[in-house]
Amino acid sequence: MKRVALLGMPNTGKSTLFNRISGASARVGNWPGITVDLMSAKILMGGHIAELIDLPGIYDLHGFSDDEQVVRHFLEHNAIDLVIIVLNSTQIDRQLSLALQIRALGLPSVLMLNMADEARRGSISIDIQAMSERIHMPVAMISAKYGEGFQAALTLAAQSIASSNMQLTLEQINSRLQADNVLEQEMESIVRDSVQMPAQLTDQTTERIDKVLLHPWLGLPIFFAAMYLLFQFIFTAGKPLQDGVAWLLQMLRGGVLEPMLAHVPTWLHGLLLDGIYNGVGTVASFVPIIILFFLIMSMVEDSGYLSRAAFLMDALMARLGLDGRGFVMMLMGFGCNVPALMGTRVMRSRNLRLLTMLVIPFSLCSARLQVFVFMTAILFTPQQAPLVLFTLYLMSFAAIFVSALIFKGRYANSEPFILELPPYRFPTPRQIVLRGWQEVGYFLRRATKFIVIGVVLVWVLTNFPSAAAPASNETFAGMIGSFMAPILTPIGIDTQLAIALIFGFVAKEIVIGSLAVIYGLQGDALMHLMAHKLDWVQGMSFMLFTLIYTPCLSTVATLRTESKSSAFMMLSIVWSLVLAWVVSFVFYQSARALGF
Amino acid sequence: MSSPLTTSLDNLHPGEKAAISSIHAEESLFQRLTALGFRAGKQIEMVRRASFNGPLHVRIGTTEIILRRSEAHRIQINTGL
């Protein structure tokens, strides 16, 4: 099998090209010595079966950043049959240096100049024949987004696959990369001979939009208003879809599963329906909101607005010892903490990275959102609910800021903050759907196992020893809850809620599922019971604790693997538990003191 | 202005253009700036400056970049083109 690597600078549409070539067949692969997740896919290229690998975006091969190190490591440890270099046509005058570096390494390569559509709009013309002759590798112009020139480029790539593959040593990489100045002169000469571009490319549309969105005074209010509207939209559109899924699940249980399992032993009936099916049902009923969330999120990300958010927020973030990228990662954390933590790899200062990783788990992720949507629906009117959710988002930011301020001395950094602002691009429906599909798939693969195992575990704990009545104080769960009571009573959390919190440590996705098993009810019946048993002060205290304490085992595992420090992981767990307890305690005791 | 005036990039006002004369930075920062098109002789334009002493938004050729004032301070420019 041939091995083909995709390599390019950041923001060149490399991943879009990867998705176009691989379709939806991509998966995360394991590579010797590389701790970063690399997407790969098996594809048919010419007559060959090839493995296509999407390498991280890099500016050069010198290895100053982690991503550059990953690429160097990859080239050092894997024989390569072809490197597909992806560059942005509209920035070819400075990006060509990467292609020249690859050529200097002697790797078999083909150059794909992406964003042909934008180049045309910007009156940039490239003589690919002349360029190809000068850099001694095939060159093709493509638009990965719209598919223009794609088939021809693939054919060119297939013809360029070397008859024998090539593996480099680190010494070879370093010795062949020596002459930067020579390379730069060559780049200028090639660009002079083969590229026609206006001295300044001004994208009128982007400039006009930026005038409003990056306005000195309007920029920030617009940013926060946009975020608020986004969440409002997700709930308004998500609610009927969620209800529909819940109804379907109920129909399936009553109409098919109950009659089918009528004659199995009671314990198996309980395990299958109250454990596994309830768990699966819990996942399924929240899928619509997660899909909506990531569809919207991918639009916000791909449009280039997130880089603008970094620009707007950097003044504040710099004061917290973080940077604008940290803010972008925190926003990603509002989808899921795990990829956000992995995304901090773009930061080159270890201290800045650790500080950012310490605060990201306070981002109110979609799993915690499930808990809050459920709880607010029980305890508040439909008019109050969005306001309560918004307050929780503000609390999430507050926890981030307070933690950053407390720990910024410990993790002081002097990392430069330099980011490209890409022009506004509206992603194609294909891009949005594919992105949403990948994110949802990732979420489900990760969450489903956790939820089902977690819910089954809770079912076992709440139904055994078999002499005890289900979910009563005599079950294992009740014993654990009673044991924790001295710590949790002062923050208004009773035994049942305590059990839900214990399992929330595994994953927030199982909290609602575990409540369903703890109370032996689900859907409207569960809501009625909880509304009867809890007042809003208790519910709010529970939500605050859920918001701030350890998000899930996956986050903990990611913290450890990314920081490569168990001590750092422990610090994160302990600090979040302490902060959660203090916040809930202050809220609960003040609210009670005020007579609520 | 008849003769070139040398100052640092963070002193440029929105809408003004200048030529980069030199960059004073350690190798990792220097490499990153070079990769993004910051090179001696290149023309650079200040697009906008963020409020509250936030980052600067500059344009070099076809690339728009945001960077902090502290990094911009290390880039020397010639005004009065």
Side-chain angles (χ1 to χ4, degrees):
Chain A
M1 190 170 60
K2 300 291 182 181
R3 186 174 288 135
V4 178
L6 264 182
L7 192 144
M9 289 203 182
N11 303 313
T12 52
K14 191 171 53 64
S15 295
T16 307
L17 179 64
F18 177 80
N19 282 335
R20 187 167 279 282
I21 300 176
S22 65
S25 69
R27 50 186 58 246
V28 173
N30 281 318
W31 302 93
I34 291 178
T35 51
V36 185
D37 284 342
L38 298 180
M39 297 281 273
S40 68
K42 299 242 186 321
I43 55 163
L44 200 63
M45 197 173 242
H48 310 285
I49 293 177
E51 183 177 37
L52 183 74
I53 303 109
D54 190 13
L55 293 175
I58 53 166
Y59 288 108
D60 58 54
L61 281 163
H62 290 294
F64 286 112
S65 76
D66 283 358
D67 280 346
E68 288 163 22
Q69 289 288 0
V70 166
V71 171
R72 284 163 64 102
H73 192 96
F74 185 86
L75 295 178
E76 188 192 352
H77 292 270
N78 295 279
I80 308 287
D81 296 280
L82 179 70
V83 179
I84 298 179
I85 306 163
V86 188
L87 300 178
N88 178 348
S89 302
T90 67
Q91 297 177 346
I92 189 66
D93 54 329
R94 66 172 174 82
Q95 296 201 346
L96 200 60
S97 56
L98 186 63
L100 294 175
Q101 285 195 341
I102 300 295
R103 192 201 60 192
L105 295 182
L107 289 164
S109 43
V110 53
L111 174 58
M112 296 199 184
L113 301 175
N114 195 14
M115 306 191 184
D117 51 315
E118 285 184 21
R120 204 164 35 243
R121 268 206 305 283
S123 318
I124 295 167
S125 63
I126 301 172
D127 183 346
I128 56 172
Q129 204 65 44
M131 184 176 282
S132 171
E133 280 163 21
R134 290 289 303 273
I135 61 171
H136 308 294
M137 68 173 81
V139 181
M141 273 196 92
I142 57 163
S143 163
K145 186 172 171 182
Y146 299 106
E148 178 190 334
F150 173 67
Q151 286 306 332
L154 268 194
T155 310
L156 200 64
Q159 289 163 355
S160 312
I161 288 184
S163 44
S164 64
N165 58 26
M166 187 171 170
Q167 191 161 349
L168 294 160
T169 64
L170 207 56
E171 291 72 39
Q172 282 174 319
I173 294 178
N174 284 330
S175 67
R176 291 176 191 184
L177 281 182
Q178 287 301 314
D180 253 2
N181 297 336
V182 180
L183 215 128
E184 202 160 297
Q185 278 167 13
E186 190 184 359
M187 172 165 78
E188 273 173 24
S189 152
I190 295 173
V191 168
R192 204 165 42 236
D193 294 347
S194 58
V195 181
Q196 301 269 327
M197 69 197 309
Q200 204 123 319
L201 179 78
T202 39
D203 182 340
Q204 294 287 333
T205 321
T206 291
E207 212 172 316
R208 248 178 266 139
I209 299 174
D210 272 344
K211 268 202 179 111
V212 180
L213 295 184
L214 298 183
H215 188 276
W217 302 114
L218 294 177
L220 279 173
I222 290 174
F223 171 67
F224 284 110
M227 288 294 126
Y228 180 67
L229 284 176
L230 204 112
F231 290 118
Q232 282 282 21
F233 170 78
I234 291 169
F235 296 128
T236 316
K239 191 77 181 77
L241 291 172
Q242 245 179 326
D243 291 346
V245 172
W247 180 80
L248 273 175
L249 284 165
Q250 203 53 46
M251 293 294 287
L252 184 63
R253 180 175 178 146
V256 181
L257 296 175
E258 294 275 11
M260 235 172 69
L261 298 170
H263 303 294
V264 303
T266 319
W267 69 267
L268 185 60
H269 184 276
L271 174 67
L272 290 176
L273 284 183
D274 296 330
I276 294 171
Y277 187 73
N278 270 3
V280 173
T282 309
V283 188
S285 66
F286 286 98
V287 161
I289 259 185
I290 296 161
I291 288 178
L292 270 173
F293 184 89
F294 281 113
L295 289 185
I296 301 281
M297 215 47 196
S298 73
M299 260 188 279
V300 176
E301 274 176 40
D302 292 352
S303 67
Y305 187 56
L306 276 187
S307 322
R308 269 77 183 178
F311 176 78
L312 291 166
M313 292 306 297
D314 192 63
L316 172 64
M317 299 311 282
R319 281 191 190 97
L320 298 171
L322 298 165
D323 77 1
R325 283 172 297 179
F327 189 76
V328 175
M329 292 312 154
M330 272 155 49
L331 283 186
M332 307 266 264
F334 283 83
C336 180
N337 293 173
V338 174
L341 288 169
M342 301 190 302
T344 59
R345 286 191 201 116
V346 294
M347 295 175 185
R348 295 161 85 175
S349 146
R350 177 168 168 85
N351 274 350
L352 177 69
R353 223 188 127 195
L354 289 180
L355 186 62
T356 311
M357 290 205 290
L358 195 65
V359 302
I360 282 177
F362 298 116
S363 293
L364 197 165
C365 66
S366 56
R368 273 169 276 188
L369 188 57
Q370 295 172 18
V371 181
F372 302 150
V373 168
F374 180 82
M375 296 285 294
T376 47
I378 293 172
L379 297 163
F380 298 95
T381 67
Q383 286 76 36
Q384 292 168 333
L387 221 71
V388 172
L389 285 175
F390 192 61
T391 308
L392 286 165
Y393 277 105
L394 291 181
M395 282 305 299
S396 166
F397 280 107
I400 288 167
F401 293 161
V402 166
S403 303
L405 283 174
I406 288 174
F407 286 96
K408 84 169 178 181
R410 187 183 164 131
Y411 298 109
N413 103 95
S414 54
E415 152 143 357
F417 171 80
I418 304 164
L419 275 186
E420 235 182 294
L421 276 194
Y424 286 102
R425 301 182 172 114
F426 201 77
T428 61
R430 186 192 141 95
Q431 282 176 306
I432 297 172
V433 170
L434 195 62
R435 177 72 202 285
W437 171 260
Q438 284 172 344
E439 294 282 2
V440 166
Y442 173 79
F443 184 89
L444 287 181
R445 273 196 303 279
R446 194 182 62 83
T448 307
K449 198 170 67 191
F450 270 111
I451 295 172
V452 174
I453 292 173
V455 171
V456 169
L457 251 164
V458 175
W459 176 80
V460 170
L461 284 171
T462 51
N463 283 272
F464 295 89
S466 47
S472 66
N473 287 349
E474 289 74 45
T475 60
F476 296 129
M479 294 173 207
I480 298 170
S482 311
F483 180 74
M484 301 291 286
I487 315 168
L488 297 177
T489 306
I491 61 174
I493 288 173
D494 62 20
T495 308
Q496 275 97 351
L497 290 180
I499 300 160
L501 281 178
I502 294 161
F503 284 91
F505 183 80
V506 175
K508 290 295 168 293
E509 290 91 339
I510 70 170
V511 170
I512 303 301
S514 67
L515 285 172
V517 180
I518 289 165
Y519 292 114
L521 297 166
Q522 56 173 327
D524 285 345
L526 175 62
M527 288 180 147
H528 282 306
L529 179 76
M530 289 185 66
H532 181 71
K533 284 191 65 129
L534 299 177
D535 68 358
W536 73 269
V537 178
Q538 270 179 297
M540 196 69 197
S541 180
F542 175 77
M543 286 195 283
L544 286 171
F545 197 92
T546 304
L547 170 66
I548 299 171
Y549 87 119
T550 316
C552 61
L553 277 180
S554 313
T555 298
V556 172
T558 311
L559 278 170
R560 189 170 165 276
T561 53
E562 294 293 326
S563 69
K564 300 190 175 21
S565 158
S566 300
F568 179 76
M569 176 196 76
M570 282 313 295
L571 172 73
S572 171
I573 294 173
V574 171
W575 167 242
S576 64
L577 280 171
V578 168
L579 186 65
W581 191 86
V582 169
V583 169
S584 294
F585 181 79
V586 169
F587 168 80
Y588 186 77
Q589 295 300 332
S590 322
R592 287 290 185 240
L594 289 170
F596 287 109
Chain B
M1 277 175 278
S2 50
S3 65
L5 290 173
T6 304
T7 178
S8 58
L9 178 60
D10 54 320
N11 292 319
L12 208 59
H13 295 291
E16 286 181 354
K17 289 176 189 174
I20 296 173
S21 57
S22 59
I23 297 168
H24 306 280
E26 70 276 8
E27 204 185 353
S28 59
L29 175 59
F30 187 85
Q31 289 286 358
R32 174 58 53 91
L33 286 170
T34 306
L36 284 165
F38 289 83
R39 293 192 174 99
K42 284 267 187 179
Q43 203 188 64
I44 188 164
E45 179 187 350
M46 180 68 61
V47 182
R48 61 174 53 84
R49 305 162 69 96
S51 319
F52 312 111
N53 263 320
L56 309 173
H57 177 178
V58 298
R59 184 183 291 137
I60 301 177
T62 58
T63 310
E64 304 206 2
I65 296 147
I66 55 177
L67 75 169
R68 279 192 188 146
R69 290 169 204 229
S70 51
E71 272 89 46
H73 189 68
R74 302 163 75 167
I75 299 167
Q76 293 294 308
I77 50 166
N78 279 331
T79 58
L81 294 166

